[in-house]
Amino acid sequence: MDYSFVILLVVAFGGLLFMSNRSRKQQREAQDFRANLVIGDEVMTGSGLFGTVTAIEDDVITLESTPGTRTRWLRAAIARKVEPPVVAEDVDDEADDDAAVVDDAVVDVPDDLSSLPPEPPSAREGDRDSK
């Protein structure tokens, strides 16, 4: 009996099992995330709409994308939670002043046209096809 075919089947089955466990874990994490949404969370939908959760009713989430604009979404359409941007504070003002000082060195830029090959001679009017 040839065992190479059996070994190939076992390796293929192991790969399928590994990939399915991984995708199930990702689905479980997404389901937990959607179940734990609270009012005030910044989220992004699967289609790319950013908004703030303003109301939650069973499987329907109401998002406010701009003040006064509210849309209703299925809970499954929420793709991820968006973390608010972190604003960096200017602690070291002296470092910014040093970065603003620019060296007045002269930069020599070569003429790029001198490295181009000469233009081919232009065609004479007698050489053209006139139809």
Side-chain angles (χ1 to χ4, degrees):
M1 182 174 193
D2 190 18
Y3 290 109
S4 62
F5 182 70
V6 174
I7 291 172
L8 181 65
L9 284 177
V10 168
V11 168
F13 181 74
L16 287 173
L17 185 66
F18 175 72
M19 287 187 290
S20 68
N21 281 341
R22 190 171 178 198
S23 65
R24 258 190 258 132
K25 180 182 176 187
Q26 288 175 342
Q27 287 175 350
R28 205 175 314 118
E29 288 174 355
Q31 188 177 17
D32 290 343
F33 151 72
R34 290 182 186 113
N36 294 326
L37 286 174
V38 294
I39 295 175
D41 282 347
E42 294 282 331
V43 295
M44 183 184 83
T45 64
S47 61
L49 177 86
F50 289 90
T52 304
V53 176
T54 58
I56 300 173
E57 305 165 5
D58 296 328
D59 282 345
V60 178
I61 306 286
T62 303
L63 298 180
E64 185 174 35
S65 56
T66 57
T69 305
R70 293 186 178 176
T71 54
R72 293 169 43 107
W73 295 81
L74 287 176
R75 193 179 290 263
I78 307 299
R80 65 183 173 106
K81 185 175 180 179
V82 178
E83 298 298 327
V86 178
V87 178
E89 296 180 21
D90 290 335
V91 177
D92 190 14
D93 291 333
E94 291 180 20
D96 293 338
D97 293 339
D98 293 340
V101 176
V102 178
D103 218 5
D104 290 335
V106 176
V107 178
D108 186 24
V109 179
D111 183 16
D112 291 336
L113 294 177
S114 64
S115 63
L116 294 176
E119 287 186 28
S122 63
R124 289 184 252 169
E125 287 188 33
D127 294 340
R128 291 187 194 166
D129 288 336
S130 56
K131 292 184 179 180

